[in-house]
Amino acid sequence: MFQDKKVVFSGVQPSGSLTLGNYLGAIKNFSAFSDEYRCYYCVVDMHAITVRQNPAELRRRTYDTLALYMACGLDPEKNVLFVQSHVPAHAELGWILDCYTMFGELSRMTQFKDKSAKNADNINAGLFTYPSLMAADILLYQTELVPVGVDQKQHLELSRDIANRFNGVYGDTFVVPEGYIPQTTAKIMSLAEPSKKMSKSDPNENAVIRILDDRDTIIRKFKRAVTDSGCEVRRGEGKEGIENLISIYGAVTGKNPDDVEAEFDGRGYGDFKLAVGEAVADSLENVRSEFARLSADKKYLEDIMRKGSAEAARAAMRTMSKVKRKVGFTDVR
Ligand code: TRP
């Protein structure tokens, strides 16, 4: 039924609670593809264990991430929502692609360098080969388009290189995916250090807006957001803080940065910060209440997981049998 549609794939790790950056930069855009594309949205628990996780917490966050997908507007009837470890083909293709990914390529990944600096006592092989597993996620479904935040651009390019390399050796096997990186909102910066990306693992809670923060918390964090010593709501040199708030306000209200500047012309930072906080809180209100409803229904979430992984596995199997034949595995059952 969906065969003629092009495929969208994206994944979110069930580690740490998701931020406004994850929402605006990625998840909020996911539902826009549901009509035109066959969409696979995956909770990538296998990627999460590249850094040490508390098992009970990982399990809970896996449910929560699925609930959050739906709370952000992804209809499980119109999208395939599933958990990575429920479809063994991800691990299988991940291994095969490891053998078509170069040590040098993986060594150049900035996320690997960052994460190894942060986890110096656990620089494991999985952390290193993370991008070939990500390539497997994408290539398994013959994906055309991958909506991600700008921080994943390098991984995506590597996925394309791996696909091209494999296709070059064996003939057309994989669709070569394109990234879809929303221009204005791809990068939401920290509220405390606006030159750094807003990161879900930032130890400073004031730097990060969580999708599930309550209204008062959101408004308080924006009030405390670091800006500069000026007073004009304008973009410019040395005004990264204000610029970040302008792009956040623009993203949640649908206004472009020029209009935001015009709207706050002559008004101070205090007014502006309050307006941003309220607009963000408004836009997340619905997500929060839907999340509360959905995450309480474990059985329903498990039904969605089962249905999603069955559908994903069916599509993945088609790619896997092609790949195995091409690399020369025997097919005896
Ligand atoms: N690496 C992505 C991130 O941390 C998550 C991810 C895993 C992903 N597999 C993917 C994203 C495939 C897009 C497509 O955000």
Side-chain angles (χ1 to χ4, degrees):
M1 143 167 78
F2 297 102
Q3 250 51 315
D4 51 339
K5 283 192 176 174
K6 292 184 172 177
V7 173
V8 160
F9 184 99
S10 197
V12 170
Q13 291 197 47
S15 55
S17 39
L18 295 173
T19 70
L20 184 64
N22 299 121
Y23 179 65
L24 295 177
I27 305 175
K28 183 171 181 259
N29 307 301
F30 287 179
S31 59
F33 299 103
S34 304
D35 289 327
E36 220 181 306
Y37 291 85
R38 171 74 163 153
C39 296
Y40 294 88
Y41 294 119
C42 185
V43 181
V44 291
D45 54 350
M46 287 157 64
H47 278 103
I49 62 165
T50 56
V51 301
R52 199 70 80 226
Q53 301 290 335
N54 169 311
E57 229 165 69
L58 178 61
R59 200 168 291 122
R60 185 182 55 78
R61 287 191 200 284
T62 300
Y63 284 92
D64 283 358
T65 307
L66 186 76
L68 201 56
Y69 269 160
M70 288 190 269
C72 291
L74 293 176
D75 178 349
E77 297 297 321
K78 287 170 68 180
N79 302 275
V80 182
L81 307 180
F82 72 107
V83 177
Q84 189 183 29
S85 67
H86 296 177
V87 180
H90 288 254
E92 256 185 305
L93 185 61
W95 172 256
I96 294 175
L97 296 184
D98 273 346
C99 304
Y100 299 83
T101 309
M102 299 301 133
F103 184 86
E105 289 175 314
L106 293 171
S107 314
R108 284 192 289 277
M109 295 292 118
T110 55
Q111 186 172 303
F112 172 68
K113 292 188 232 171
D114 290 351
K115 286 197 181 173
S116 359
K118 276 191 203 144
N119 303 281
D121 55 347
N122 185 23
I123 306 178
N124 61 73
L127 192 64
F128 189 61
T129 61
Y130 178 116
S132 19
L133 180 60
M134 177 162 162
D137 298 341
I138 296 169
L139 302 183
L140 258 184
Y141 300 96
Q142 304 295 348
T143 302
E144 303 262 346
L145 206 61
V146 186
V148 279
V150 72
D151 62 310
Q152 294 301 311
K153 199 170 163 202
Q154 197 185 28
H155 288 161
L156 201 74
E157 253 139 44
L158 182 55
S159 300
R160 291 169 54 83
D161 291 343
I162 296 170
N164 280 319
R165 179 173 301 139
F166 196 98
N167 289 348
V169 177
Y170 299 104
D172 274 355
T173 309
F174 297 120
V175 169
V176 181
E178 298 281 342
Y180 176 89
I181 298 168
Q183 276 317 304
T184 48
T185 54
K187 206 158 186 187
I188 302 293
M189 312 307 277
S190 154
L191 298 188
E193 286 171 80
S195 57
K196 272 184 17 190
K197 187 189 125 176
M198 184 181 283
S199 156
K200 54 186 166 195
S201 56
D202 196 320
N204 177 1
E205 269 306 315
N206 285 323
V208 190
I209 302 290
R210 310 265 171 201
I211 298 183
L212 299 174
D213 277 349
D214 63 42
R215 186 177 187 85
D216 291 346
T217 306
I218 293 174
I219 291 174
R220 178 172 45 78
K221 287 180 178 176
F222 276 107
K223 274 191 189 151
R224 292 193 185 161
V226 168
T227 47
D228 52 88
S229 56
C231 57
E232 275 180 65
V233 178
R234 290 208 176 280
R235 291 157 293 170
E237 195 65 30
K239 297 180 70 98
E240 291 85 3
I242 284 294
E243 200 158 316
N244 187 35
L245 299 185
I246 290 177
S247 71
I248 292 172
Y249 187 76
V252 299
T253 58
K255 296 174 184 163
N256 71 40
D258 292 335
D259 294 342
V260 179
E261 288 178 358
E263 182 179 344
F264 291 92
D265 188 29
R267 290 160 68 185
Y269 285 179
D271 255 18
F272 180 51
K273 286 180 176 179
L274 181 62
V276 182
E278 285 176 341
V280 169
D282 287 348
S283 80
L284 291 176
E285 196 72 64
N286 224 355
V287 174
R288 213 153 49 84
S289 61
E290 270 299 281
F291 175 82
R293 190 177 69 79
L294 290 160
S295 63
D297 195 345
K298 207 168 156 186
K299 197 183 149 301
Y300 174 65
L301 293 174
E302 287 173 351
D303 287 343
I304 302 294
M305 286 179 188
R306 274 188 214 99
K307 173 170 159 293
S309 62
E311 283 184 52
R314 221 174 301 127
M317 205 190 64
R318 282 196 293 275
T319 300
M320 279 319 289
S321 44
K322 202 153 96 172
V323 168
K324 287 180 180 172
R325 185 160 39 76
K326 298 227 177 185
V327 299
F329 289 174
T330 44
D331 185 15
V332 179
R333 270 165 291 183

